[in-house]
Amino acid sequence: MTQQFTFSYRLIAAPQDLSAPDQALLTAANAALSRAYAPYSQFQVGASVLLESGLIIEGNNQENIAYPSGLCAERVALFYAGANHPQDPIVKICIVAQGDLMPEGALLSPCGSCRQVMLESEARQKNPIEVLLVQRSGEILVLETVQNLLPFGFSK
Ligand code: THU
């Protein structure tokens, strides 16, 4: 028997087509990106996390000369939220990136470790986290839940 896993996502043509609150979240992600510490990869990533209270947490990639010691933007933001606002559910996360590491038309989407952490954040609060993936073309992919980014994920 063959089974299928499919999911739907929204494709927003450009940042100005986002709602005003989503544009604010994107602005925060871009601000975070501008403060990224990525001297080794020259690939800057910014993540902004909207909490239910309205608070926006910003994170960016933090690299290290001992490469594996660095951390991705998404996890910097999510761990900060978990460390400081554990009772304030995460509503959505917006991710932006810039740099030549990825070829021009490549899809910008979080790494496996960040997906795993996002999945646990979602499971922990028992409410979906919307994911906004900003592409270099200006398009934005909007996913309803982290589960769509990590099908058959390792989760309780
Ligand atoms: N990076 C992120 O911040 N998020 C991801 O999802 C993938 C990769 C960072 C890690 C490293 O600092 C740089 O991008 C190049 O891999």
Side-chain angles (χ1 to χ4, degrees):
M1 189 189 0
T2 303
Q3 307 234 41
Q4 279 193 329
F5 177 90
T6 59
F7 73 94
S8 304
Y9 60 91
R10 284 190 295 137
L11 188 59
I12 311 281
Q16 55 268 30
D17 297 325
L18 291 169
S19 67
D22 282 357
Q23 285 190 34
L25 193 64
L26 173 53
T27 299
N30 277 320
L33 180 151
S34 73
R35 299 187 304 268
Y37 177 64
Y40 306 105
S41 71
Q42 299 292 339
F43 187 71
Q44 293 84 14
V45 186
S48 53
V49 171
L50 174 69
L51 304 181
E52 202 171 88
S53 66
L55 192 67
I56 292 177
I57 304 293
E58 296 176 8
N60 45 38
N61 50 334
Q62 295 292 316
E63 297 186 348
N64 192 278
I65 193 162
Y67 288 8
S69 302
L71 198 63
C72 293
E74 297 90 325
R75 279 177 285 165
V76 168
L78 289 169
F79 287 152
Y80 183 94
N84 296 288
H85 305 279
Q87 306 304 335
D88 200 349
I90 296 167
V91 179
K92 50 181 91 181
I93 181 169
C94 175
I95 306 155
V96 296
Q98 95 184 352
D100 296 333
L101 190 66
M102 294 285 172
E104 189 58 33
L107 179 76
L108 293 178
S109 189
C111 78
S113 297
C114 287
R115 292 174 197 219
Q116 182 66 36
V117 169
M118 289 160 74
L119 191 69
E120 181 106 4
S121 299
E122 192 173 83
R124 191 174 165 184
Q125 67 182 29
K126 300 187 181 71
N127 259 313
I129 298 173
E130 190 177 88
V131 184
L132 281 75
L133 304 178
V134 184
Q135 305 301 305
R136 271 169 301 191
S137 62
E139 288 181 325
I140 299 138
L141 278 57
V142 183
L143 284 66
E144 271 174 26
T145 165
V146 175
Q147 282 187 42
N148 290 339
L149 272 179
L150 196 59
F152 302 109
F154 183 55
S155 184
K156 284 181 262 188

